[in-house]
Structure formats: structure tokens, C-alpha cells
Amino acid sequence: MDDSGSLRELDGFEDGLIEDFKRHPVLVHVPLLSDDDFATLLLQRRFLSLAFTPAYDLAIDLLTDESGLRIARTILREEYPGSHGRTRSHREDMKEDLLQLGVTRQALVEARPTAATTAAVTGTLELIADAGRAEHADLRLLTILRFWGEILVSLEYERFWPRMEGRLTHDGKNQSYFYYPHLVHDAKAHPLATTSRLSASHSDRLGVRLSELLARDGDADGFRQVERRAYQLRVDFYNQFLPMARQPEEAAPSLTP
């Protein structure tokens, strides 16, 4: 793969998965979920967030490309800002947002991952392990980190945000510590064909090196394969909530202020 046209083809493939994911009935109907159902979804989604760092750690263990390693290490370290234990981790920021949204500490204590949530976590670790043993492992591992760990996350939080915004905005100021910042800095801001080292988003920083590996190794099939698997893992996670997704004519008005 040695021209931008081939990268544009992969962007088209990826953008197709993105559009399909955005049309998942649960994500489409987030504004129509009851408060209890939305809290249930967020508590289960929290377990995927808790799996973010071990997934990154596993990928880092299996990466051999030094440039890719540096990018992955930097992103992972951003999850634990500050030093000497004085600054909350991103996972703690998520808890603060959940509390602002009305999820109680007791609900956090009582929450347990469902079978579908557990399958999404273990399936992700299996996907990373399989990528590590494949030809062009570095390309596949960076594809997973970028698509599973960044792009799909931003799309989810983009769907969540209209429901959250009223409760996470105070005196006209956005007070989200976790969901809105990740919506912004995980997003695919540029196509693979036009990635820039100046981009600040996590997906684009990974995309710069991924584009270089695609040009060098040409493993377009591997790219597509791991993105399809990552996509399906996330779809299967959301399928467990399909009974909650009401049709518009059945739904109560949104409770978001």
C-alpha cells in the first residue's frame, strides 16, 4: 500500500463501520431511556472503561514498533495525570461524572458485570492476543487501540452527551470530568489519508503511525479484520440493552434539563 487512494479506501471502510455503529438502536434511543435504564447502561459501560488500561498494557507488551510503543505509552500515562497521588485518575473522573448524573455510591458498590459485558472484556483481550501472534502484529495492535480504544469510545460518548449535558453543566459551564473530555480527545478528527502529527486527538496520534505501517506493510486485510471484530464486540455489548430501547412513540419525554 503506497498511495493515499488505498488509505482512502480503508477510511471508507472504517467510516462505514462508524455509521453502522452510530445507528445501533440503543445508541440512537439513549435520549429515550428511563433514568434507571440509562444508569444501568452506564454502570455496565463502566466495566469496559475499567478494562481500558489492561487492554492497553497487553497491547504494549506485544508491540515491537518503537514509534507505536511511544504513542501507546503516552496515551496510557495520560490516564493517570499528576504525581504523588494528588490528582484523580480518569477512572475516578468517570465516577465523579456518574455521581453528578445521579448514580449512587451504593449502585456502584452493587454493580456486577453481566455475562455480555464480561464477554466484551474477555473478547477484547483475545482480540489483542490474536493480533500479537499474527503477521504484521504491530499494525493490527495499533488498529485495535485506535478503533476499539479511541474512535468507538468517542462515538458512544457523543451519543450519551445530549442526555448528560444538562446535568453536567452548571452556571453555564461544562463540569464533565470524564465523558465530554473523552468525547473530544478520542475522536477521529482526520482521515487516515490526511493524518497530521499536529493533531491532538488520541485516534489521530495513533493514526499517524498506523498510516505509515499500512504504507510499509500493506496489510489492508488485517486492518479490516480487526476493525470488524472490534466493532462486533462493541455491538454485542450494546445488544444486551435492546429490550430497553423504546420506540419513539412509546418513549417518555427526556428528563435531561
Side-chain angles (χ1 to χ4, degrees):
M1 181 177 299
D2 57 6
D3 58 61
S4 61
S6 297
L7 287 177
R8 283 195 292 269
E9 289 177 7
L10 292 182
D11 274 314
F13 167 81
E14 182 174 80
D15 290 344
L17 292 181
I18 286 171
E19 291 305 312
D20 285 347
F21 186 62
K22 288 164 68 174
R23 288 193 291 266
H24 191 284
V26 174
L27 294 176
V28 168
H29 292 130
V30 161
L32 308 175
L33 299 178
S34 70
D35 284 352
D36 286 346
D37 284 349
F38 188 46
T40 296
L41 187 158
L42 292 178
L43 287 167
Q44 289 301 309
R45 181 60 184 77
R46 172 174 169 264
F47 289 112
L48 297 194
S49 294
L50 293 173
F52 177 89
T53 49
Y56 251 77
D57 276 325
L58 177 58
I60 286 169
D61 281 350
L62 303 182
L63 279 165
T64 61
D65 177 69
E66 189 58 38
S67 294
L69 273 167
R70 284 197 298 269
I71 297 167
R73 288 174 186 144
T74 299
I75 291 172
L76 182 59
R77 281 160 174 73
E78 289 175 7
E79 300 296 305
Y80 300 95
S83 59
H84 308 296
R86 298 189 182 115
T87 305
R88 290 194 303 253
S89 71
H90 285 189
R91 244 50 53 193
E92 292 174 276
D93 287 340
M94 175 175 55
K95 180 199 70 175
E96 293 301 318
D97 273 9
L98 288 171
L99 294 175
Q100 288 191 81
L101 290 166
V103 175
T104 65
R105 181 183 179 280
Q106 187 62 30
L108 290 170
V109 170
E110 298 296 335
R112 300 290 185 274
T114 63
T117 300
T118 300
V121 173
T122 57
T124 299
L125 299 179
E126 290 169 1
L127 175 60
I128 294 170
D130 289 344
R133 70 166 62 95
E135 187 177 9
H136 305 134
D138 291 326
L139 187 156
R140 293 180 181 225
L141 290 164
L142 292 181
T143 300
I144 294 166
L145 293 183
R146 176 177 167 273
F147 193 64
W148 171 87
E150 310 296 341
I151 292 175
L152 291 181
V153 172
S154 178
L155 295 173
E156 291 168 281
Y157 297 171
E158 179 183 305
R159 289 301 196 190
F160 293 173
W161 183 246
R163 176 65 180 267
M164 296 174 162
E165 184 173 10
R167 295 187 181 183
L168 297 179
T169 302
H170 307 289
D171 299 324
K173 295 181 179 179
N174 184 334
Q175 298 294 319
S176 172
Y177 299 104
F178 178 80
Y179 291 103
Y180 188 79
H182 282 75
L183 185 166
V184 173
H185 71 56
D186 292 350
K188 179 182 179 179
H190 298 88
L192 282 168
T194 60
T195 51
S196 169
R197 294 186 183 277
L198 299 178
S199 177
S201 81
H202 288 176
S203 64
D204 283 3
R205 283 153 60 186
L206 290 162
V208 169
R209 184 54 181 160
L210 179 57
S211 297
E212 294 169 349
L213 293 179
L214 283 164
R216 186 191 75 187
D217 300 334
D219 190 10
D221 287 343
F223 174 92
R224 294 188 186 97
Q225 182 185 93
V226 297
E227 285 211 345
R228 284 193 193 99
R229 285 183 63 185
Y231 164 85
Q232 193 60 52
L233 282 167
R234 202 61 60 89
V235 166
D236 290 345
F237 170 80
Y238 279 101
N239 283 347
Q240 69 179 307
F241 305 110
L242 283 171
M244 299 179 181
R246 306 176 181 182
Q247 295 302 311
E249 63 272 14
E250 299 172 345
S254 173
L255 299 180
T256 304

